Structures are given as structure tokens and as C-alpha cells.
Amino acid sequence: MILLKTKQEIEMMKQAGQLLASCHKEIAKRITPGISTLEIDQFVEEYLHKNGAIPEQKGYKGYPYATCASVNDVICHGFPTKKPLQDGDIVTIDMVVNLKGALADSAWSYAVGNISSKARRLLEVTKKSLYKGIEQAVIGNRIGDIGHAIQIYAEKHHFSVVREFVGHGIGRVIHEPPQIPHFGAAGTGLCLKEGMVITIEPMLNEGWYFSVIDSDGWTARTADGTLSAQYEHTIAITKQGPLILTDQDGKR
Ligand code: MF3
Ligand code: CO
């Protein structure tokens, strides 16, 4: 069942989202060759606790860290490690913030030092594809409209859209129905209604979209070893249009 949220619940999720956004802005300042993703994870955990929030991912279905840190060919759910990030890497930091019971979920891909022009294009197209999806998150549209807009844009730029991991409803728990695929046909699927809160979180690959899971049971990589990027926002469907709860002061 899809749980519609009241204005007050959306306001609380926005507060969680704004804390998450400020945390991403702090991460952006710290990402540089030499820092490890475990250091970023520890920073995030402290930052959230200092601000009265909890990293909701830690312990979720046994996931051991506050953040997912997905470097280069890792699509999502990478474990933070002590290995220093290197010049030329790309890394996606994903987290879910729980502020007084209200959740928000946002991932952002970062360039470490100087990256190749192909990696730069992957980041730009992935980010733009997120906003193409968000544009479709309006009352009366269907879930398929979101995925279709993302897929058309990604494939026009010769990147592939990951199929195995999708966006989701979010509220008091991380994953609520409905699922939000980042591919598909326009005009299909459930109708979007006022009060739905969903994530849109496209993962785009340089090569083919197939993934493999490491022996840790979590880390998802591109099967062909090419780069993967991801941007994710939590969005409320409102009469005024899509409200980006994790917006970083309009930064795109
Ligand atoms: N933020 C992730 C998502 O978008 C949640 C990861 S699940 C976890 O769905 F187990 F890693 F926490
Ligand atoms: Co999510």
C-alpha cells in the first residue's frame, strides 16, 4: 500500500532532507585525493549525530555503515574502506538521514581531483537524467513517465541505465512501495498522487547495464568493469509540482 504523506510529514522529511543536503555540501569540500571513504563515513556519522539525527542505513538489513561509498565501477552499495581515493576516481556517496523519525535519502557522485573527460560526461549526463526524471514527478503523470524520461536522455548520450536497482517510496522506513524504475515506457504504471514521497536515483553506466555482486553480498559492480555514476533526490509530489526535499540550495 502506498502511504500518502500529510503536509506536516513532508515538512519533517524536508528538515531531514535539508540536513542531508548540508552534509553533502560538507562532503564536497572534503573530497580530494588521499581521503578514504571510511574517513568520509566517520565524518557523516558524527555530523548527523551532532545535528540530532541518525544514519538510517547503518544496521538496515545488516548493512554495516552510515554511507554507501561506490568508487569507479561500483554501481551502488559499496562499503567505505581505508583505501585513499586517487586522483581521477569518481565516487558516489549515498546516505539516508533519520531526523526525529522522518527520513530522507540522497546520493551524489563526486570527482576526485582531475577526472577523464569521459568520466566528467558520465557525471553530467547522470545528474541531468535525474532532473529529467524529477520534471515528470507531477500529479497525474504515471511512474513510467519518470523512467522513460531518464532512459531516453541517458541512451541519447550513449550511456546505459541500470535495471536491478530502482527508486522507491520513502517515509518511516527506507523502502516503501512503489518502486520507481529508471527506464520504461511513458504512460504506464501507477498514477502519481499528491502526498507521495519517492526517491529518484538513476545509476548510469559507461558500458552495458549488467551488474555483478561481490562476495560481501552488497557491493554491486558493472559486469564489464566500466564506470558507473548515480545521483539521487527524495521528492514529494505536491500541487505546486515536484518538491526536492534533499535540494542543495538549487545546486545542480
Ligand atoms: N540509499 C539506498 C537507496 O537508495 C539505500 C541503501 S540500502 C542500505 O535505496 F542497505 F545500503 F542501506
Ligand atoms: Co534510495
Side-chain angles (χ1 to χ4, degrees):
M1 196 183 60
I2 297 173
L3 300 167
L4 300 176
K5 276 76 183 179
T6 63
K7 284 209 171 79
Q8 197 186 349
E9 285 169 318
I10 290 172
E11 183 51 39
M12 288 181 64
M13 294 178 82
K14 187 173 175 191
Q15 284 176 24
Q18 287 307 292
L19 178 59
L20 202 171
S22 71
C23 191
H24 268 308
K25 285 184 269 174
E26 291 300 322
I27 292 169
K29 292 182 205 162
R30 287 168 171 77
I31 295 267
T32 184
I35 194 171
S36 75
T37 50
L38 195 58
E39 287 171 301
I40 295 167
D41 188 77
Q42 284 159 353
F43 165 77
V44 167
E45 188 156 4
E46 268 174 42
Y47 185 86
L48 296 185
H49 281 137
K50 263 193 238 156
N51 287 282
I54 298 167
E56 184 73 5
Q57 292 189 160
K58 197 167 182 171
Y60 178 75
K61 294 184 176 166
Y63 186 78
Y65 297 96
T67 62
C68 298
S70 302
V71 180
N72 294 336
D73 65 321
V74 178
I75 295 170
C76 63
H77 302 162
F79 286 177
T81 71
K82 287 187 177 157
K83 184 171 182 255
L85 290 169
Q86 289 177 18
D87 190 58
D89 285 344
I90 60 171
V91 58
T92 304
I93 307 293
D94 187 5
M95 73 185 90
V96 180
V97 169
N98 178 335
L99 182 66
K100 300 175 193 145
L103 304 188
D105 186 358
S106 176
W108 209 255
S109 287
Y110 296 93
V112 182
N114 293 307
I115 62 173
S116 69
S117 57
K118 194 148 188 222
R120 172 76 50 201
R121 257 177 23 84
L122 176 66
L123 295 186
E124 283 168 3
V125 171
T126 307
K127 191 193 286 179
K128 190 87 186 280
S129 79
L130 165 61
Y131 289 95
K132 292 282 180 190
I134 293 172
E135 270 175 25
Q136 298 298 320
V138 296
I139 297 170
N141 265 7
R142 290 176 183 274
I143 284 175
D145 294 322
I146 296 173
H148 184 71
I150 292 168
Q151 183 179 13
I152 290 290
Y153 185 77
E155 291 179 355
K156 188 171 91 187
H157 291 88
H158 309 289
F159 294 119
S160 68
V161 176
V162 170
R163 307 297 202 258
E164 284 94 337
F165 303 95
V166 297
H168 47 91
I170 178 168
R172 294 194 173 262
V173 294
I174 299 182
H175 294 130
E176 287 183 359
Q179 294 197 343
I180 313 288
H182 307 109
F183 57 93
T188 64
L190 281 177
C191 219
L192 298 172
K193 286 201 172 66
E194 183 181 9
M196 283 175 61
V197 181
I198 58 170
T199 73
I200 304 178
E201 48 183 298
M203 286 142 273
L204 268 53
N205 298 349
E206 246 181 359
W208 198 225
Y209 57 72
F210 294 113
S211 58
V212 290
I213 308 284
D214 282 2
S215 57
D216 61 20
W218 283 99
T219 310
R221 294 176 191 276
T222 59
D224 61 10
T226 59
L227 295 177
S228 185
Q230 179 183 28
Y231 291 85
E232 170 182 27
H233 274 311
T234 298
I235 315 289
I237 313 288
T238 79
K239 280 202 183 107
Q240 289 76 38
L243 180 63
I244 305 177
L245 303 182
T246 45
D247 187 44
Q248 298 176 30
D249 302 327
K251 182 180 147 203
R252 291 191 172 200

